[in-house]
């Protein structure tokens, strides 16, 4: 069982720690335990309960009303929510619950159900990536162990690969190279863009994780692609700027680097020939 601090719960749920303490004291919505040094911590069950409670609270129900409901009644009311944004939040919460329980069949079943409801692309864009951002908070706090990370990324990776293989082979002359720099293994975003580009009819040369820049240069010199695309999660600003200089040597009509939300505040210096992007959607409009 994981142990969550009140700060962890605040980051995951979006509810301020001060408010959580009030809810805990007045309504006993959470039941923390204490360490030997008298520090409060919260369980997986506390986390899952808070996620469902926050959904009803966001939907306008007063916390005093929610506190009187049984666990079963709370779940029934959550199921009845119709607002699309809240529905997506519920889907994300369901994935979080499956993850903390290490419930692989449940995670797969939820994923497939969401695809049947809203389609594959919307599931990835509106559920999976917000989910990954949310649990990324847990990874940073060391409360989600590598077992959780490997479990969920393996499932999602396989789902995307199956979707890619199901697409017809592109018939256009457009070509793109997708890769991650050496030491970078967080490829779910790269696979997602592979899917989007192939669906758009672009021939993709997918090199995958941890690829030396020298190998990308050799392929780009030979293939002369229209586009080259990459990103990095783990590198700091100086390392990214050095990598961008390497990318500047590639042969392509246009070369893109996608910044994540944390990197967007770094004021990274770009070579003239490298295009900065911050969203998959805007990048996709520029290719094909």
């Amino acid at each position: 069982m994981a142990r969550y601090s009140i700060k962890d719960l605040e980051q995951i749920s979006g509810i301020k720690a001060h408010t959580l303490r009030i809810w805990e004291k007045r309504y006993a919505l959470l039941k923390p335990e204490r360490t030997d040094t008298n520090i409060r911590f919260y369980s997986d069950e506390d986390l899952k309960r808070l996620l469902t409670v926050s959904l009803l609270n966001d939907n306008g129900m007063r916390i005093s009303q929610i506190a009187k409901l049984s666990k079963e009644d709370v779940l029934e009311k959550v199921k009845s929510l119709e607002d699309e944004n809240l529905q997506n939040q519920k889907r994300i919460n369901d994935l979080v619950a499956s993850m903390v329980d290490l419930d692989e069949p449940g995670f797969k079943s939820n994923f497939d159900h969401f695809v049947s409801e809203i389609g594959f692309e919307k599931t990835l864009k509106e559920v999976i990536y917000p989910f990954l951002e949310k649990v990324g908070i847990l990874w940073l706090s060391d409360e989600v162990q590598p077992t959780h990370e490997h479990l969920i990324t393996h499932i999602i990776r396989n789902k995307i690969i199956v979707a890619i293989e199901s697409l017809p082979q592109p018939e256009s002359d457009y070509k793109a190279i997708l890769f991650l720099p050496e030491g970078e293994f967080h490829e779910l975003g790269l696979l997602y863009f592979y899917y989007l580009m192939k669906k758009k009819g672009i021939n993709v040369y997918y090199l995958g994780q941890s690829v030396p820049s020298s190998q990308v240069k050799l392929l780009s010199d030979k293939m002369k692609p229209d586009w080259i695309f990459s990103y990095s999660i783990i590198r700091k600003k100086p390392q990214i700027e050095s990598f961008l200089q390497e990318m500047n040597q590639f042969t392509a009509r246009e070369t893109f680097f996608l910044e994540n939300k944390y990197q967007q505040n770094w004021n990274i210096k770009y070579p003239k020939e490298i295009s900065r992007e911050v969203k998959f959607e805007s990048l996709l409009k520029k290719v094909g």
Side-chain angles (χ1 to χ4, degrees):
M1 181 185 73
R3 293 184 174 189
Y4 307 100
S5 68
I6 197 165
K7 189 66 176 177
D8 292 330
L9 297 188
E10 177 184 73
Q11 290 180 303
I12 300 161
S13 67
I15 300 169
K16 296 295 184 183
H18 174 70
T19 302
L20 293 175
R21 289 190 183 97
I22 293 174
W23 289 4
E24 180 184 319
K25 185 175 181 179
R26 291 184 183 174
Y27 307 109
L29 280 173
L30 303 173
K31 298 178 180 179
E33 299 178 51
R34 291 184 181 270
T35 66
D36 294 338
T37 55
N38 206 35
I39 298 175
R40 294 208 302 279
F41 68 88
Y42 301 83
S43 68
D44 291 334
E45 289 304 313
D46 288 320
L47 170 61
K48 290 186 286 185
R49 176 165 173 74
L50 178 60
L51 291 175
T52 55
V53 167
S54 65
L55 272 177
L56 295 181
N57 188 240
D58 289 343
N59 195 48
M61 183 176 290
R62 294 180 179 179
I63 198 65
S64 57
Q65 296 174 300
I66 301 171
K68 296 176 183 177
L69 300 175
S70 67
K71 179 180 178 180
E72 292 73 21
D73 288 338
V74 169
L75 293 176
E76 281 301 314
K77 288 192 175 295
V78 166
K79 289 179 182 178
S80 69
L81 296 177
E82 296 182 355
D83 180 89
E84 186 173 357
N85 290 331
L86 290 175
Q87 279 290 337
N88 281 335
Q89 190 59 54
K90 179 186 178 300
R91 293 178 178 114
I92 294 166
N93 291 350
D94 288 343
L95 294 182
V96 172
S98 296
M99 181 195 69
V100 298
D101 289 339
L102 289 175
D103 180 9
E104 180 177 2
F107 193 99
K108 289 179 178 178
S109 176
N110 281 326
F111 190 108
D112 292 339
H113 181 62
F114 303 156
V115 170
S116 69
E117 287 183 321
I118 61 176
F120 184 78
E121 284 184 42
K122 288 189 72 173
T123 296
L124 286 182
K125 179 181 176 182
E126 299 178 8
V127 181
I128 296 301
Y129 280 93
F131 160 76
L132 291 173
E133 286 188 345
K134 175 169 285 194
V135 299
I137 296 170
L138 301 186
W139 297 341
L140 293 174
S141 68
D142 294 326
E143 294 304 338
V144 169
Q145 301 302 314
T147 303
H148 295 84
E149 180 177 359
H150 293 318
L151 176 73
I152 62 174
T153 55
H154 178 71
I155 294 171
I156 297 169
R157 181 179 185 275
N158 286 345
K159 295 288 187 183
I160 300 176
I161 289 174
V162 169
I164 291 170
E165 293 299 320
S166 70
L167 294 173
Q169 187 61 33
E171 297 181 356
S172 74
D173 295 327
Y174 289 126
K175 295 176 288 188
I177 295 175
L178 308 185
F179 79 103
L180 296 181
E182 285 187 275
E184 182 66 66
F185 295 95
H186 297 78
E187 71 168 332
L188 292 183
L190 198 71
L191 280 168
Y192 177 43
F193 200 56
Y194 181 2
Y195 170 84
L196 293 175
M197 294 188 84
K198 186 177 180 183
K199 186 174 182 182
K200 198 170 182 178
I202 298 168
N203 293 284
V204 177
Y205 295 83
Y206 186 81
L207 303 184
Q209 309 167 335
S210 192
V211 182
S213 293
S214 59
Q215 297 302 307
V216 181
K217 184 175 185 334
L218 286 174
L219 181 62
S220 71
D221 288 346
K222 180 178 180 179
M223 301 304 302
K224 296 179 174 53
D226 297 279
W227 306 284
I228 296 177
F229 168 73
S230 189
Y231 62 81
S232 177
I233 303 297
I234 63 172
R235 295 190 175 199
K236 302 301 182 184
K237 179 181 177 181
Q239 296 171 314
I240 289 177
E241 290 180 342
S242 176
F243 175 58
L244 292 174
Q245 292 297 331
E246 295 172 6
M247 292 184 72
N248 203 39
Q249 305 303 312
F250 298 160
T251 302
R253 178 148 60 92
E254 195 163 10
T255 302
F256 297 99
F257 182 86
L258 183 72
E259 292 183 8
N260 64 39
K261 64 180 181 180
Y262 304 106
Q263 296 164 348
Q264 291 166 26
N265 297 321
W266 291 358
N267 295 317
I268 295 171
K269 295 180 180 178
Y270 279 77
K272 185 177 180 181
E273 300 303 319
I274 307 297
S275 298
R276 170 185 179 268
E277 291 295 334
V278 297
K279 291 184 178 180
F280 279 115
E281 294 85 354
S282 59
L283 177 54
L284 196 64
K285 292 177 181 179
K286 296 182 179 180
V287 300

